[in-house]
Amino acid sequence: HRDLDLCLRRQRQMCIRERYTYQGCWESEDEFAADLASETGILDSDWSTYFDYDLWTNDLFISDYTSLDCRQCGDLMIVRYS
């Protein structure tokens, strides 16, 4: 647990310096995009049958988000550009 806490602290410090907003760690960009889609309620509409996760993920990581390897936990650290 100590290594993970240290990793999170370093990530948050990096985000503050670089003007990123730390979102957390996920196993993949796809997993992050799926969680974000669920949280925002996009999938609750009638259009959910037409929802394309691959395009959604691609769009997110082209302009708003980036992922970095977390050496401590092995997952991807997701940050949002401020």
Side-chain angles (χ1 to χ4, degrees):
H1 291 282
R2 185 174 184 273
D3 288 340
L4 182 58
D5 290 339
L6 180 61
C7 178
L8 294 174
R9 194 171 335 127
R10 285 182 183 160
Q11 292 165 355
R12 288 187 185 116
Q13 289 170 352
M14 187 247 357
C15 291
I16 291 168
R17 280 195 312 269
E18 302 294 330
R19 297 185 185 228
Y20 294 117
T21 304
Y22 174 76
Q23 302 296 307
C25 287
W26 277 264
E27 289 184 17
S28 68
E29 291 179 351
D30 293 329
E31 182 185 339
F32 169 74
D35 287 349
L36 185 61
S38 295
E39 287 175 17
T40 57
I42 291 173
L43 302 177
D44 296 337
S45 70
D46 294 334
W47 296 100
S48 63
T49 56
Y50 304 104
F51 191 78
D52 188 329
Y53 279 104
D54 292 333
L55 288 177
W56 167 255
T57 302
N58 188 43
D59 287 348
L60 288 174
F61 287 92
I62 283 177
S63 59
D64 296 329
Y65 296 90
T66 191
S67 62
L68 307 165
D69 289 327
C70 179
R71 287 181 257 159
Q72 295 294 324
C73 68
D75 288 337
L76 292 176
M77 175 180 64
I78 307 295
V79 294
R80 183 175 186 161
Y81 299 113
S82 299

